[in-house]
Amino acid sequence: MPSETPHHGQDWDPRAPDVLADPITAYDRMRHQCPVAYSDYLHHSVFRHADVLRVVTDHQRFSSQASSHVSVPNSMDPPEHDAWRAVIDPYFSAARMAEFEPECRRICHGIVRALPRNGMIEAMFDLAHPFALRTQCAFMGWSEALHEPLLEWIYHKNAATLSGDRGQIAAVAIEFDDTIRGILQRRRALGDSAPDDVTGRLMRETIHGRPITEEEIVSILRNWTVGELGTMASSVGIIAHYLAAHPELQDHLRQNPALIRAANDEILRIHAPLIANRRTPTCPVQLGGKTIQPGERVTVIWASANRDEAVFGDPDEFRLDRDPTLNLLYGAGVHACPGAPLARLEIEIMVQALLAGTQALEQVPGHPALPAIYPASGYRQAPLRLRH
């Protein structure tokens, strides 16, 4: 939270205990008290919707090359970014989504059927993580044998994040990349008999008239899979917890399943599954009354921008009649999430299956949900009771 006498020029501490305990409330306060706030950890954090929108849509003044690690295409600017999006976007076309939908339904209904009847579940590890893991492996064409090692990786990643140890976090990242390289190595060993699936097609892609390299493939699959295993699991945990706290909305959506997709987007506007992204100015810029120099880091706080009262009124009011173009759930501008069609499809099907397979989702008195630790969002634990 902002202090009356910032230490060493800091406007707030994103890792302060009260911020980590209730990040959404902390971001709401920062949006009013210091809408562009400096910290040693995140540098210039941007909290207001208008400022965030300006940063992410002006790729000439705010570059996505804000990290020392190359990320395809996330850390690229036009025109290189556009060339990569031309390769990536067709993987999330309407035709591809229609092709994947039956398998996604099979997976989601199977997960719900396996949940204990009339009992307590831990929504993250009984529901959300299995959902994200199984749907991602199915979409990519990966063997079910990868479920267990990837689930172990999720445990390791969560433990590393909680520790705050940079060495441990880096080791977890290397562990994941090694898993991806193993998948690619096994595919190449199969030669012409390798499956013709998303992974196989990606391995045959070209860019600028040349085959894409292994490093580029690993980067793409890292972006797709880490996002799937993290943000998608967070999304389902957030939605399940919200529905348990709002039984009247549960009933409404059970009776009107066509509204589930719009409801999901609104719940995730209220409680974002992705906290932030980075940019860096290419020239001196004025933002929130402050001058930010080229090369400095700018952190756009999606979890604040999507709750800006200037745009949404009461940020906690659930409404299905909002202008969907104002919701920054999947970003904006040229870097808007290419996987948004897949994310929306998968979350919609999972929530449909959960509501159809239960009579009620309930919070468990005496067992509060525990918030995730930045940079994750949502919950690291969310106990719920199911009624069938």
Side-chain angles (χ1 to χ4, degrees):
M1 300 309 299
S3 62
E4 295 180 2
T5 56
H7 183 57
H8 296 310
Q10 291 206 102
D11 297 308
W12 74 312
D13 180 2
R15 292 178 289 185
D18 57 337
V19 175
L20 296 178
D22 190 357
I24 298 300
T25 297
Y27 303 151
D28 286 348
R29 292 178 184 174
M30 289 303 303
R31 191 169 57 250
H32 294 284
Q33 297 180 15
C34 192
V36 177
Y38 185 82
S39 68
D40 290 340
Y41 183 52
L42 297 181
H43 296 194
H44 301 279
S45 296
V46 182
F47 293 94
R48 293 188 301 202
H49 189 280
D51 292 333
V52 166
L53 199 58
R54 176 188 166 196
V55 170
V56 300
T57 57
D58 187 351
H59 58 80
Q60 293 184 335
R61 290 183 176 84
F62 294 94
S63 171
S64 292
Q65 298 179 28
S67 171
S68 59
H69 303 287
V70 175
S71 176
V72 181
N74 300 25
S75 68
M76 295 175 169
D77 295 322
E80 185 69 4
H81 170 268
D82 300 341
W84 279 103
R85 285 294 293 261
V87 172
I88 289 169
D89 286 359
Y91 285 84
F92 305 100
S93 67
R96 291 278 173 84
M97 297 305 96
E99 178 184 347
F100 180 60
E101 182 175 347
E103 178 66 4
C104 186
R105 289 193 182 280
R106 183 191 69 79
I107 292 168
C108 293
H109 283 278
I111 290 171
V112 173
R113 283 195 299 270
L115 294 173
R117 301 184 66 83
N118 299 316
M120 192 169 80
I121 67 167
E122 200 293 289
M124 296 309 300
F125 283 93
D126 292 335
L127 175 68
H129 287 304
F131 151 76
L133 178 66
R134 295 176 194 175
T135 53
Q136 175 65 4
C137 286
F139 180 73
M140 296 303 305
W142 294 349
S143 166
E144 292 185 0
L146 279 170
H147 289 180
E148 191 62 33
L150 284 174
L151 187 60
E152 285 296 317
W153 179 81
I154 292 171
Y155 290 131
H156 296 164
K157 176 176 178 290
N158 288 348
T161 300
L162 283 171
S163 75
D165 185 304
R166 290 182 179 272
Q168 190 175 343
I169 292 170
V172 168
I174 293 171
E175 178 186 348
F176 180 82
D177 283 3
D178 287 345
T179 299
I180 297 297
R181 293 182 199 281
I183 293 170
L184 300 180
Q185 183 179 11
R186 289 190 291 275
R187 290 299 184 94
R188 292 194 178 97
L190 291 173
D192 293 340
S193 62
D196 182 25
D197 51 26
V198 167
T199 301
R201 290 192 289 270
L202 185 63
M203 293 173 69
R204 297 191 296 272
E205 290 285 2
T206 61
I207 184 93
H208 305 310
R210 62 164 178 83
I212 62 177
T213 67
E214 177 161 308
E215 289 300 319
E216 290 164 343
I217 296 172
V218 169
S219 179
I220 292 169
L221 293 180
R222 183 194 308 120
N223 284 335
W224 289 1
T225 306
V226 172
E228 184 80 6
L229 298 182
T231 309
M232 292 294 288
S234 294
S235 296
V236 166
I238 289 167
I239 292 169
H241 185 267
Y242 188 92
L243 292 176
H246 298 83
E248 72 289 345
L249 179 59
Q250 278 188 60
D251 294 340
H252 186 59
L253 295 180
R254 284 190 178 91
Q255 296 167 14
N256 301 275
L259 298 177
I260 287 175
R261 179 171 293 202
N264 291 341
D265 279 8
E266 175 68 351
I267 292 168
L268 298 177
R269 178 200 63 76
I270 294 170
H271 187 160
L274 177 65
I275 296 292
N277 280 133
R278 297 177 182 178
R279 298 291 190 273
T280 187
T282 59
C283 59
V285 295
Q286 290 287 325
L287 198 62
K290 298 186 178 182
T291 301
I292 304 176
Q293 298 297 330
E296 294 189 85
R297 188 197 311 165
V298 173
T299 304
V300 293
I301 308 292
W302 305 112
S304 171
N306 252 358
R307 294 175 53 82
D308 193 333
E309 294 84 355
V311 176
F312 301 105
D314 179 356
D316 289 307
E317 182 185 8
F318 177 92
R319 287 174 47 187
L320 291 176
D321 62 347
R322 297 187 188 278
D323 180 351
T325 65
L326 298 175
N327 191 334
L328 302 180
L329 173 60
Y330 294 101
V334 298
H335 281 279
C337 178
L342 177 63
R344 283 193 166 102
L345 174 72
E346 290 179 342
I347 298 170
E348 178 183 31
I349 291 174
M350 184 70 258
V351 175
Q352 286 176 347
L354 183 60
L355 292 178
T358 60
Q359 291 184 347
L361 310 175
E362 299 172 351
Q363 293 184 327
V364 183
H367 295 271
L370 300 179
I373 302 299
Y374 185 93
S377 185
Y379 305 101
R380 62 183 188 272
Q381 291 182 21
L384 298 177
R385 190 177 304 281
L386 307 184
R387 302 290 185 188
H388 290 268

